[in-house]
Amino acid sequence: EFHLLWSTHSVHHSGNRYNLATALRQGAIQPFFSWLVYLPLAVIGLPPIHFVRHSRLNTVYQFWIHTETVGRLPLIIELIMNTPSHHRMHHSPPGNCNYAGVLIIWDRIFGTFSSELPHQVSDTNKPDKPNNLNLQQKPPQRHPRVSIYGWARPLDSFNPLYANICHLIRLLECNTTTSNRKIP
């Protein structure tokens, strides 16, 4: 992973909530670097209209996977396609998994896939007596939820300009801090 490319995309991951608005949160600098992803395809002669179509279809597909409302989908879909359950793992710190836009099969092939854990019902959810109705009992979830989203070190501002350069500022701070250390 490259810090320059991450700094352009990190705005998308800056929110601590995971919803459809997250899908629309894009960095202002990202369009200036996204062409690097398509460059190899242009070199082999793919017509530019295909890049435009791909970009639009990718945006539409990725919009719906930014939700906590949808749980796990049928197994065949979960094996091949990127789904909300896969993408939730990508948006939770450290987020270094499930990079796929549409086809999660690539993450499975390259070893970057991570799945939400299967739900385990604990004994505390069971009523004390078989005939006793426990009205405060919560129904078991069908799928566990990642409880934390966003950056490992959360963004401490709602300023959109700062959000677009925050990662670069943190890199400079880190570089300054480490370059001032004396080696024993």
Side-chain angles (χ1 to χ4, degrees), residues 72-184:
R72 295 221 177 212
L73 297 176
L75 181 61
I76 189 69
I77 295 171
E78 292 277 335
L79 288 173
I80 299 169
M81 306 298 291
N82 194 5
T83 65
S85 67
H86 299 325
H87 209 62
R88 283 190 290 271
M89 295 299 294
H90 175 71
H91 273 266
S92 65
N96 55 355
C97 62
N98 302 358
Y99 298 105
V102 177
L103 299 173
I104 201 70
I105 195 149
W106 296 113
D107 286 288
R108 292 179 184 279
I109 291 170
F110 291 111
T112 55
F113 177 76
S114 183
S115 180
E116 283 185 320
L117 298 174
H119 179 68
Q120 297 176 354
V121 178
S122 66
D123 291 336
T124 58
N125 288 339
K126 296 178 183 175
D128 295 334
K129 298 176 185 173
N131 295 330
N132 182 13
L133 288 176
N134 185 352
L135 298 178
Q136 295 179 352
Q137 176 186 356
K138 293 180 181 177
Q141 294 179 346
R142 283 196 225 154
H143 47 278
R145 293 286 185 238
V146 177
S147 58
I148 299 172
Y149 298 108
W151 296 344
R153 182 176 155 200
L155 182 64
D156 52 0
S157 171
F158 290 108
N159 182 335
L161 296 175
Y162 179 70
N164 277 279
I165 60 171
C166 179
H167 185 71
L168 294 174
I169 291 171
R170 289 179 178 179
L171 277 177
L172 289 173
E173 289 171 354
C174 181
N175 191 28
T176 304
T177 305
T178 56
S179 64
N180 290 337
R181 290 185 189 162
K182 293 184 179 179
I183 300 173

Side-chain angles (χ1 to χ4, degrees), residues 59-84:
T59 300
V60 169
Y61 185 85
Q62 289 210 357
F63 179 74
W64 82 273
I65 63 175
H66 288 87
T67 180
E68 289 188 285
T69 306
V70 178
R72 295 221 177 212
L73 297 176
L75 181 61
I76 189 69
I77 295 171
E78 292 277 335
L79 288 173
I80 299 169
M81 306 298 291
N82 194 5
T83 65

Side-chain angles (χ1 to χ4, degrees), residues 12-74:
H12 174 69
H13 288 260
S14 65
N16 59 359
R17 302 222 168 134
Y18 186 73
N19 53 33
L20 296 176
T22 302
L24 301 176
R25 184 186 305 120
Q26 300 296 321
I29 304 168
Q30 189 169 348
F32 297 108
F33 292 93
S34 60
W35 63 271
L36 292 170
V37 175
Y38 296 110
L39 186 61
L41 298 174
V43 168
I44 63 170
L46 202 64
I49 190 68
H50 292 306
F51 302 121
V52 174
R53 287 180 185 148
H54 173 267
S55 177
R56 290 179 180 169
L57 289 172
N58 194 45
T59 300
V60 169
Y61 185 85
Q62 289 210 357
F63 179 74
W64 82 273
I65 63 175
H66 288 87
T67 180
E68 289 188 285
T69 306
V70 178
R72 295 221 177 212
L73 297 176

